mmCIF file of all heavy atoms in Angstrom:
data_model
loop_
_atom_site.group_PDB
_atom_site.id
_atom_site.type_symbol
_atom_site.label_atom_id
_atom_site.label_comp_id
_atom_site.label_asym_id
_atom_site.label_seq_id
_atom_site.Cartn_x
_atom_site.Cartn_y
_atom_site.Cartn_z
ATOM 1 N N TYR A 656 36.342 -73.375 -11.330
ATOM 2 C CA TYR A 656 37.127 -73.946 -10.235
ATOM 3 C C TYR A 656 36.307 -73.789 -8.946
ATOM 4 O O TYR A 656 35.654 -72.801 -8.733
ATOM 5 C CB TYR A 656 38.470 -73.195 -10.117
ATOM 6 C CG TYR A 656 39.312 -73.686 -8.923
ATOM 7 C CD1 TYR A 656 39.994 -74.863 -8.921
ATOM 8 C CD2 TYR A 656 39.316 -72.900 -7.761
ATOM 9 C CE1 TYR A 656 40.741 -75.281 -7.867
ATOM 10 C CE2 TYR A 656 40.057 -73.351 -6.648
ATOM 11 C CZ TYR A 656 40.754 -74.525 -6.680
ATOM 12 O OH TYR A 656 41.440 -74.956 -5.570
ATOM 13 N N PRO A 895 56.416 -78.722 -11.034
ATOM 14 C CA PRO A 895 55.740 -79.078 -9.769
ATOM 15 C C PRO A 895 54.287 -78.659 -9.775
ATOM 16 O O PRO A 895 53.790 -78.004 -10.675
ATOM 17 C CB PRO A 895 56.558 -78.297 -8.692
ATOM 18 C CG PRO A 895 57.864 -77.942 -9.402
ATOM 19 C CD PRO A 895 57.561 -77.789 -10.821
ATOM 20 N N ALA A 896 53.594 -79.053 -8.733
ATOM 21 C CA ALA A 896 52.170 -78.678 -8.559
ATOM 22 C C ALA A 896 52.049 -77.150 -8.567
ATOM 23 O O ALA A 896 53.000 -76.452 -8.153
ATOM 24 C CB ALA A 896 51.627 -79.282 -7.298
ATOM 25 N N PRO A 897 50.889 -76.597 -8.975
ATOM 26 C CA PRO A 897 50.736 -75.166 -9.048
ATOM 27 C C PRO A 897 51.167 -74.408 -7.797
ATOM 28 O O PRO A 897 51.839 -73.376 -7.896
ATOM 29 C CB PRO A 897 49.258 -74.986 -9.295
ATOM 30 C CG PRO A 897 48.819 -76.201 -9.976
ATOM 31 C CD PRO A 897 49.680 -77.290 -9.412
ATOM 32 N N GLU A 898 50.854 -74.946 -6.599
ATOM 33 C CA GLU A 898 51.177 -74.204 -5.383
ATOM 34 C C GLU A 898 52.646 -74.300 -5.073
ATOM 35 O O GLU A 898 53.151 -73.557 -4.235
ATOM 36 C CB GLU A 898 50.386 -74.827 -4.217
ATOM 37 C CG GLU A 898 50.480 -76.296 -3.980
ATOM 38 C CD GLU A 898 49.475 -77.069 -4.724
ATOM 39 O OE1 GLU A 898 48.953 -76.621 -5.805
ATOM 40 O OE2 GLU A 898 49.103 -78.231 -4.228
ATOM 41 N N ASP A 899 53.385 -75.156 -5.771
ATOM 42 C CA ASP A 899 54.830 -75.332 -5.469
ATOM 43 C C ASP A 899 55.755 -74.692 -6.551
ATOM 44 O O ASP A 899 56.906 -74.556 -6.406
ATOM 45 C CB ASP A 899 55.224 -76.818 -5.366
ATOM 46 C CG ASP A 899 54.493 -77.496 -4.229
ATOM 47 O OD1 ASP A 899 54.340 -76.793 -3.114
ATOM 48 O OD2 ASP A 899 54.084 -78.667 -4.304
ATOM 49 N N PHE A 900 55.080 -74.303 -7.696
ATOM 50 C CA PHE A 900 55.901 -73.769 -8.767
ATOM 51 C C PHE A 900 56.126 -72.290 -8.552
ATOM 52 O O PHE A 900 55.207 -71.543 -8.250
ATOM 53 C CB PHE A 900 55.140 -73.963 -10.122
ATOM 54 C CG PHE A 900 55.906 -73.400 -11.246
ATOM 55 C CD1 PHE A 900 56.996 -74.010 -11.797
ATOM 56 C CD2 PHE A 900 55.471 -72.167 -11.855
ATOM 57 C CE1 PHE A 900 57.711 -73.418 -12.837
ATOM 58 C CE2 PHE A 900 56.131 -71.623 -12.916
ATOM 59 C CZ PHE A 900 57.308 -72.231 -13.433
ATOM 60 N N LYS A 901 57.361 -71.844 -8.670
ATOM 61 C CA LYS A 901 57.690 -70.488 -8.478
ATOM 62 C C LYS A 901 58.585 -69.941 -9.640
ATOM 63 O O LYS A 901 59.352 -70.719 -10.244
ATOM 64 C CB LYS A 901 58.566 -70.351 -7.152
ATOM 65 C CG LYS A 901 57.801 -70.769 -5.925
ATOM 66 C CD LYS A 901 56.708 -69.821 -5.535
ATOM 67 C CE LYS A 901 56.105 -70.159 -4.205
ATOM 68 N NZ LYS A 901 55.344 -71.481 -4.194
ATOM 69 N N GLN A 976 54.145 -66.750 -14.182
ATOM 70 C CA GLN A 976 53.691 -67.924 -13.382
ATOM 71 C C GLN A 976 52.375 -68.483 -13.826
ATOM 72 O O GLN A 976 52.223 -69.678 -14.036
ATOM 73 C CB GLN A 976 53.680 -67.582 -11.891
ATOM 74 C CG GLN A 976 53.428 -68.703 -10.994
ATOM 75 C CD GLN A 976 53.313 -68.305 -9.515
ATOM 76 O OE1 GLN A 976 52.757 -67.189 -9.209
ATOM 77 N NE2 GLN A 976 53.830 -69.103 -8.645
ATOM 78 N N ILE A 980 51.982 -72.081 -15.689
ATOM 79 C CA ILE A 980 51.133 -73.091 -15.008
ATOM 80 C C ILE A 980 49.973 -73.595 -15.885
ATOM 81 O O ILE A 980 49.640 -74.751 -15.855
ATOM 82 C CB ILE A 980 50.623 -72.574 -13.657
ATOM 83 C CG1 ILE A 980 51.785 -72.474 -12.589
ATOM 84 C CG2 ILE A 980 49.503 -73.362 -13.073
ATOM 85 C CD1 ILE A 980 51.431 -71.848 -11.318
ATOM 86 N N TYR A 984 48.595 -77.289 -16.173
ATOM 87 C CA TYR A 984 47.458 -77.554 -15.327
ATOM 88 C C TYR A 984 46.193 -76.806 -15.750
ATOM 89 O O TYR A 984 45.232 -76.837 -15.049
ATOM 90 C CB TYR A 984 47.789 -77.156 -13.882
ATOM 91 C CG TYR A 984 48.909 -78.036 -13.331
ATOM 92 C CD1 TYR A 984 50.215 -77.491 -13.208
ATOM 93 C CD2 TYR A 984 48.715 -79.314 -12.818
ATOM 94 C CE1 TYR A 984 51.292 -78.291 -12.698
ATOM 95 C CE2 TYR A 984 49.787 -80.129 -12.340
ATOM 96 C CZ TYR A 984 51.012 -79.548 -12.257
ATOM 97 O OH TYR A 984 52.056 -80.307 -11.724
ATOM 98 N N GLY A 988 44.493 -74.790 -12.784
ATOM 99 C CA GLY A 988 45.769 -74.524 -12.108
ATOM 100 C C GLY A 988 46.070 -73.065 -12.015
ATOM 101 O O GLY A 988 46.555 -72.552 -10.980
ATOM 102 N N LYS A 991 43.831 -71.488 -9.367
ATOM 103 C CA LYS A 991 44.256 -71.900 -8.031
ATOM 104 C C LYS A 991 45.403 -71.043 -7.493
ATOM 105 O O LYS A 991 45.380 -70.620 -6.364
ATOM 106 C CB LYS A 991 44.571 -73.359 -8.017
ATOM 107 C CG LYS A 991 44.818 -73.974 -6.674
ATOM 108 C CD LYS A 991 45.072 -75.523 -6.793
ATOM 109 C CE LYS A 991 45.286 -76.104 -5.441
ATOM 110 N NZ LYS A 991 45.495 -77.564 -5.527
ATOM 111 N N ILE A 992 46.402 -70.832 -8.339
ATOM 112 C CA ILE A 992 47.582 -70.117 -7.900
ATOM 113 C C ILE A 992 47.299 -68.594 -7.784
ATOM 114 O O ILE A 992 47.846 -67.936 -6.895
ATOM 115 C CB ILE A 992 48.825 -70.336 -8.860
ATOM 116 C CG1 ILE A 992 50.085 -69.944 -8.105
ATOM 117 C CG2 ILE A 992 48.641 -69.635 -10.146
ATOM 118 C CD1 ILE A 992 50.433 -70.705 -6.884
ATOM 119 N N LYS A 995 46.045 -67.118 -4.279
ATOM 120 C CA LYS A 995 46.901 -67.028 -3.025
ATOM 121 C C LYS A 995 47.174 -65.620 -2.663
ATOM 122 O O LYS A 995 47.223 -65.257 -1.508
ATOM 123 C CB LYS A 995 48.197 -67.764 -3.293
ATOM 124 C CG LYS A 995 47.984 -69.289 -3.443
ATOM 125 C CD LYS A 995 49.316 -70.029 -3.633
ATOM 126 C CE LYS A 995 50.115 -70.025 -2.329
ATOM 127 N NZ LYS A 995 51.328 -70.838 -2.483
#
Side-chain angles (χ1 to χ4, degrees):
Y656 174 78
E898 55 269 28
D899 297 323
F900 178 75
K901 300 289 187 294
Q976 184 182 39
I980 286 174
Y984 297 100
K991 187 175 182 180
I992 196 63
K995 293 182 70 175

